Amino acid sequence: MAQAVATALAQRSVLVAEAGTGTGKTFAYLVPALLAGGKVIVSTGTRTLQDQLFSRDLPRVREALGLPVAIALLKGRSNYVCRHHLERNLLEASLGSPRDAADLREIARFAQRSASGDRGELSAVPEQSPAWSLATSTRESCLGSECAHFQDCFVMQARREALAADVVVVNHHLFFADVVLRDTGYAELLPACDAVIFDEAHALPETASLFFGETVSTHQLIDLARDTRAEALAGARDDPSLPRAAAVLDRAARDLRLALREDTGRLTLGQLRSRAAFVSALDAVLVELDSLGRLLSQHAERSEGLGRCVERTEALHRALARWRSRALRADAVAPPGRPEAAAAAGTVGVADPPIAGADDASDAGWVLWAEVLAHSVALQATPLSVAHVFREQMAAGGHPRAWVFTSATLAIDGDFSHFVGAMGLTGATCATWPSPYDYPSQSLLYLPPDMPEPASPEYARSLVQAALPLIEAAGGRTFVLCTSLRAMRLVHELLDQALRRRGLIVPLMLQGEASRSELLRRFRDSGNAVLVASHSFWEGVDVRGDALSVVVIDKLPFAPPDDPVLAARIEQANRSGASAFSTIQLPEAAITLKQGAGRLIRDETDRGVLMIGDPRLLGRGYGRRLLKSLPPMRVTREIAEACTFLRRPAA
Ligand code: SF4
């Protein structure tokens, strides 16, 4: 793999490298990247891997090679204190609770003594404290070179260091948010680099579609209202109508969220259009944004901060008006006068691209939908495919560079076409380096017989009954990975009852009881725990050794077809005559299944049993394809054999 990466770097070509667990893929790309010289961006899927690369792997490789390579870790701008907003919000005594005000003062003291302004260094203020949003900037709220603090700005300093470094470690979110979208003062990084290496690249299509789309959220509106109040206090005290208009906008934004009854979830355009309260709340926000913009424009010249608020108000108004007009124009799929029918059918709206400057993407199609969170709602326009946008980004900057995409899960039964197609890669060299682990002797795949169909009401109970003997034989030490939160809660409840009935005393944990890292710490420390989890634990979780010996997967992980974006992609594929099932749903399920199964064997001494409850794995034609994409485990349908395997000490 190192040789293949070296060739891609030398030829400035595209390499897609699937490297099984334990191949040492990190060193396989770092060694040639450092030897090749030039400027390299390494992007990871998670912050954990980003930190691990920067503080452990990169220094180790650099030392081993004896090369004077400068490395930098770049985080998103919300990780650094923004002196401008901190200063403004310290003036605004009415912001937040006394606790928030105390936190804000603590951050101010930190900003005076810190060299980096990295909030990770200030443990005295909790991560969730609302004070952080008062002391950090967003892409929209940053004044950039107009800011009085531009020279001693922490964000800009981190970026200057990244520009000067040979190897810059980022994560996929930051790559798309800052590097591709050219956040303030940062346009030079991607054009200047000779190679981009994506680790955990399987997550890229989804992350890219988030950033190549357009979002307007009530969060942004509330932030704008808050910043306007702070800027008015600092630079336009003589006009009381400004803070009043900001307060009205704040209220209108909150009303927009309240117009949706859901606690959380994703809503299709058809569902949104059927809610009269939502449509009128949306119109009210537009009216208030317009009023605030008119008032603000009278004060635009009085300070940089007020000028920036004018621009943000106009940009949000434009984006929201565009979303609304596109939403109402999507009549072809949500007939006027029959919105309820469309909602009942789960119909989605596919509209033209709503983003100015993206007209060349008009044939690709966009889906309009809303993400409802506990305290906010985000109106989304997501491209159905990121392929053409990503291809343009790869060509940007004027000079060719190498692109390496690597992950343990990129191919389905040796076929890379799903990933390559989703990212729009042309002329890519694709190769697989299988895991060096001895799966046939280190592991066993148990497929319980007599399981009901997954839709059966008895399914969860049968799953628990099938898994119990394994849990007993292993003495706990089990992950139960479920495909939905609902299934997770039900399985947890049934398992709790069943363990009690059997008198099995093991710590039973549930995703959400504590943070992921805390649950993992407890799981490892206890040595006999059972953890029931959902999506958060299917990937990026590494429990080596005896603490984890059984992984139970409840069902084949097909994404819910009523998800607005997936539903639109299915509709588009079916309209074009392709089978959405075999080109979209099956490959995505195969990648997720491989990720989940990959939790079991984490090094060459690990042993364990993987149980997959879903009878479709053997009963349907596509099940065989999914089975073939799993590591080469020996398969059994005999519970006695699986239990004996677990009880037998390692050879
Ligand atoms: S340049 Fe932007 S991030 Fe830096 S202090 Fe000014 S507003 Fe804040």
Side-chain angles (χ1 to χ4, degrees):
M1 180 174 164
Q3 285 168 348
V5 173
T7 304
L9 295 174
Q11 296 176 347
R12 310 240 160 171
S13 56
V14 182
L15 172 69
V16 181
E18 185 179 69
T21 322
T23 43
K25 69 174 159 40
T26 312
F27 291 164
Y29 64 72
L30 285 183
V31 170
L34 265 57
L35 286 174
K39 193 173 183 71
V40 182
I41 296 178
V42 181
S43 180
T44 68
T46 55
R47 247 189 250 165
T48 317
L49 183 57
Q50 198 189 355
D51 285 336
Q52 184 183 307
L53 263 175
F54 180 73
S55 4
R56 201 187 69 187
D57 300 335
L58 256 170
R60 202 185 277 181
V61 173
R62 180 173 60 178
E63 197 187 322
L65 297 176
L67 291 170
V69 174
I71 60 178
L73 175 72
L74 190 62
K75 300 182 180 178
R77 64 161 63 241
S78 64
N79 288 280
Y80 304 96
V81 173
C82 161
R83 293 186 191 275
H84 173 78
H85 285 94
L86 174 64
E87 209 171 70
R88 284 286 180 272
N89 288 318
L90 277 169
L91 287 175
E92 165 78 282
S94 65
L95 288 175
S97 66
R99 177 73 257 162
D100 298 348
D103 284 348
L104 203 60
R105 286 195 297 275
E106 184 65 47
I107 297 173
R109 285 191 288 275
F110 167 71
Q112 275 170 3
R113 64 172 189 270
S114 170
S116 69
D118 183 341
R119 62 193 264 183
E121 292 170 12
L122 181 59
S123 53
V125 176
E127 244 182 80
Q128 318 78 351
S129 169
W132 282 119
S133 72
L134 303 173
T136 49
S137 63
T138 62
R139 203 153 69 90
E140 294 81 25
S141 70
C142 174
L143 305 183
S145 55
E146 308 294 315
C147 178
H149 294 288
F150 190 67
Q151 288 311 322
D152 64 342
C153 164
F154 293 125
V155 178
M156 300 306 152
Q157 178 187 316
R159 289 161 185 217
R160 280 193 292 269
E161 284 168 15
L163 273 173
D166 302 301
V167 180
V168 186
V169 183
V170 301
N171 59 56
H172 299 342
H173 278 84
L174 184 64
F175 181 85
F176 288 108
D178 279 20
V179 181
V180 173
L181 297 181
R182 316 273 153 82
D183 195 354
T184 319
Y186 205 37
E188 306 90 340
L189 187 57
L190 183 60
C193 82
D194 304 295
V196 182
I197 299 172
F198 291 105
D199 201 338
E200 297 175 325
H202 64 277
L204 276 179
E206 196 177 333
T207 313
S209 74
L210 274 179
F211 287 95
F212 292 147
E214 188 174 82
T215 304
V216 190
S217 76
T218 52
H219 239 322
Q220 287 169 292
L221 296 163
I222 290 167
D223 280 359
L224 171 67
R226 187 198 60 212
D227 291 346
T228 302
R229 285 204 301 271
E231 295 295 349
L233 198 67
R237 270 177 189 272
D238 51 349
D239 186 354
S241 61
L242 210 44
R244 268 205 302 272
V248 176
L249 174 65
D250 182 287
R251 184 73 259 154
R254 292 177 199 276
D255 286 347
L256 183 61
R257 168 63 187 92
L258 292 173
L260 301 169
R261 295 182 300 271
E262 287 73 11
D263 289 339
T264 55
R266 294 174 155 210
L267 296 180
T268 64
L269 185 56
Q271 288 167 318
L272 291 168
R273 290 172 63 181
S274 69
R275 315 276 173 89
F278 170 78
V279 178
S280 55
L282 182 60
D283 288 342
V285 170
L286 279 165
V287 169
E288 300 312 337
L289 262 175
D290 187 52
S291 311
L292 181 65
R294 283 171 203 276
L295 270 175
L296 267 170
S297 59
Q298 297 164 21
H299 301 284
E301 303 300 324
R302 297 179 70 174
S303 74
E304 295 301 345
L306 283 165
R308 190 76 192 109
C309 285
V310 178
E311 288 167 23
R312 285 166 67 190
T313 309
E314 288 170 357
L316 278 171
H317 189 278
R318 270 197 309 276
L320 205 58
R322 200 158 49 222
W323 192 93
R324 186 191 184 284
S325 90
R326 300 280 176 180
L328 296 183
R329 265 173 43 191
D331 290 339
V333 286
R338 295 186 51 237
E340 294 80 358
T347 309
V348 293
V350 181
D352 293 337
I355 299 173
D359 289 333
D360 50 341
S362 55
D363 56 341
W366 293 72
V367 54
L368 303 184
W369 56 286
E371 172 112 58
V372 185
L373 301 172
H375 302 292
S376 65
V377 55
L379 306 183
Q380 306 275 5
T382 304
L384 286 173
S385 160
V386 295
H388 67 284
V389 197
F390 192 74
R391 220 176 8 240
E392 277 168 21
Q393 291 301 331
M394 287 175 77
H399 77 106
R401 62 184 65 89
W403 295 83
V404 176
F405 301 84
T406 186
S407 163
T409 53
L410 289 173
I412 293 106
D413 192 15
D415 177 5
F416 287 86
S417 55
H418 178 67
F419 180 77
V420 166
M423 296 305 292
L425 307 179
T426 45
T429 302
C430 301
T432 298
W433 284 271
S435 168
Y437 301 154
D438 184 359
Y439 281 98
S441 67
Q442 286 181 255
S443 61
L444 198 59
L445 171 58
Y446 171 56
L447 304 176
D450 306 323
M451 283 293 290
E453 283 297 305
S456 153
E458 280 308 300
Y459 188 80
R461 196 172 297 278
S462 304
L463 182 88
V464 167
Q465 287 310 316
L468 266 178
L470 296 178
I471 296 173
E472 199 163 20
R477 304 191 289 140
T478 299
F479 268 8
V480 182
L481 300 178
C482 300
T483 41
S484 71
L485 289 171
R486 215 170 120 235
M488 175 187 88
R489 289 189 201 103
L490 179 59
V491 167
H492 177 263
E493 191 186 319
L494 293 170
L495 199 52
D496 188 29
Q497 293 163 3
L499 290 172
R500 282 172 204 275
R501 270 200 305 274
R502 287 209 182 198
L504 257 175
I505 314 292
V506 293
L508 180 63
M509 302 171 180
L510 179 67
Q511 176 186 313
E513 281 174 348
S515 70
R516 188 169 92 146
S517 52
E518 173 60 18
L519 275 179
L520 277 173
R521 191 192 59 74
R522 288 187 209 162
F523 186 89
R524 287 192 189 102
D525 288 354
S526 79
N528 66 340
V530 176
L531 170 70
V532 185
S534 180
H535 295 106
S536 306
F537 285 80
W538 280 71
E539 56 182 277
V541 170
D542 192 17
V543 181
R544 289 167 197 227
D546 289 344
L548 179 62
S549 295
V550 177
V551 171
V552 174
I553 288 179
D554 73 333
K555 294 178 189 171
L556 299 179
F558 289 110
D562 54 354
D563 175 86
V565 179
L566 180 62
R569 288 170 59 211
I570 290 173
E571 197 174 299
Q572 189 201 38
N574 287 339
R575 259 205 316 262
S576 69
S579 154
F581 183 73
S582 55
T583 58
I584 299 173
Q585 291 161 284
L586 191 59
E588 289 180 2
I591 297 286
T592 313
L593 187 65
K594 264 168 100 167
Q595 280 288 344
R599 298 314 100 212
L600 184 64
I601 304 297
R602 305 302 299 171
D603 71 28
E604 60 275 6
T605 58
D606 263 1
R607 293 175 81 253
V609 170
L610 170 68
M611 172 182 136
I612 302 179
D614 198 325
R616 294 174 295 179
L617 200 57
L618 288 179
R620 306 282 163 85
Y622 59 77
R624 305 262 167 200
R625 215 176 145 207
L626 292 173
L627 204 51
K628 276 172 84 179
S629 63
L630 289 173
M633 299 174 165
R634 204 153 48 77
V635 179
T636 182
R637 309 214 70 192
E638 303 292 334
I639 185 64
E641 188 185 354
C643 292
T644 307
F645 182 88
L646 285 169
R647 290 197 186 101
R648 203 179 64 217

